[in-house]
Amino acid sequence: MSSNEHSETGDWINTVVQQYERPLVRYAAQIVGDLERGRDVAQDTFLRLCKQDREQLDGHLVEWLYTVCRNRALDVRRKESRMKSMTAEQTSVQESRDTDHAVATEQQETTARVLEFVDKLTENQREVVRLKFQHGLSYKEIAAVTELSVSNVGFLIHTAIKKLRV
């Protein structure tokens, strides 16, 4: 690999990390129940990205990132075999560092209320709802990450929304 190719790869990796680090940390933290372990899982994901051929990831980078992150987080959760939910307050406190206080307070209250409802959903429903609405993934991307069919993803989201409306 020439120094120019190495530089381009480094730039690409940096761009991907800047764009996906926070969402992947948040996603992993939701699975493992701890922000620090979530950061470790996201870091692992990016280390694995460095070893991948960029051309093989073209067109499905998002699915690859979330799948690797999810699988690693599930491994960590299984190994520790204890689950503790990250509270809405912990999530909001981390995010509020980047927003002004008034907006952060409102965001914390809204997030807390929403997470109370989301926590009442089944595990599958929680995961697909978070991937869709917190992380902005398409049904097809969610299906690839969770290894569910697209129609199953749609059904889970539909029933979850219906359940949340009640």
Side-chain angles (χ1 to χ4, degrees):
M1 180 182 286
S2 72
S3 64
N4 191 31
E5 287 174 317
H6 185 70
S7 175
E8 285 177 22
T9 300
D11 290 345
W12 176 72
I13 297 281
N14 285 334
T15 301
V16 172
V17 169
Q18 286 176 8
Q19 185 172 357
Y20 293 102
E21 182 178 30
R22 289 184 75 180
L24 287 176
V25 167
R26 185 174 34 228
Y27 178 57
Q30 290 166 341
I31 294 172
V32 298
D34 179 76
L35 186 59
E36 285 306 313
R37 287 182 296 170
R39 285 187 179 126
D40 291 343
V41 168
Q43 186 177 27
D44 255 11
T45 302
F46 292 120
L47 287 173
R48 291 176 188 200
L49 176 65
C50 293
K51 298 174 185 172
Q52 292 297 308
D53 181 2
R54 179 180 173 182
E55 290 176 14
Q56 290 180 343
L57 298 176
D58 278 348
H60 64 278
L61 174 65
V62 173
E63 294 99 323
W64 187 91
L65 287 170
Y66 276 91
T67 300
V68 170
C69 184
R70 177 181 190 260
N71 291 339
R72 182 70 186 116
L74 291 172
D75 287 346
V76 167
R77 187 172 81 178
R78 269 190 292 271
K79 284 179 186 170
E80 294 178 1
S81 74
R82 60 179 162 79
M83 280 187 52
K84 61 179 184 180
S85 297
M86 178 181 229
T87 65
E89 183 180 342
Q90 288 170 313
T91 304
S92 297
V93 166
Q94 180 64 30
E95 291 178 34
S96 70
R97 291 180 183 155
D98 299 332
T99 58
D100 92 337
H101 186 66
V103 172
T105 302
E106 183 179 329
Q107 193 176 27
Q108 286 175 352
E109 292 168 2
T110 302
T111 300
R113 285 193 304 269
V114 169
L115 287 177
E116 281 178 35
F117 290 117
V118 171
D119 284 342
K120 293 177 183 173
L121 299 173
T122 67
E123 188 173 341
N124 273 355
Q125 288 173 329
R126 276 194 307 268
E127 184 172 21
V128 297
V129 165
R130 285 181 171 145
L131 286 170
K132 176 68 180 155
F133 298 105
Q134 278 186 313
H135 301 281
L137 272 63
S138 69
Y139 283 23
K140 183 179 176 185
E141 290 168 333
I142 295 168
V145 170
T146 59
E147 298 178 351
L148 298 169
S149 68
V150 173
S151 59
N152 196 352
V153 168
F155 175 77
L156 286 169
I157 290 173
H158 174 77
T159 56
I161 291 171
K162 217 169 155 181
K163 195 173 186 180
L164 292 173
R165 284 187 181 154
V166 173

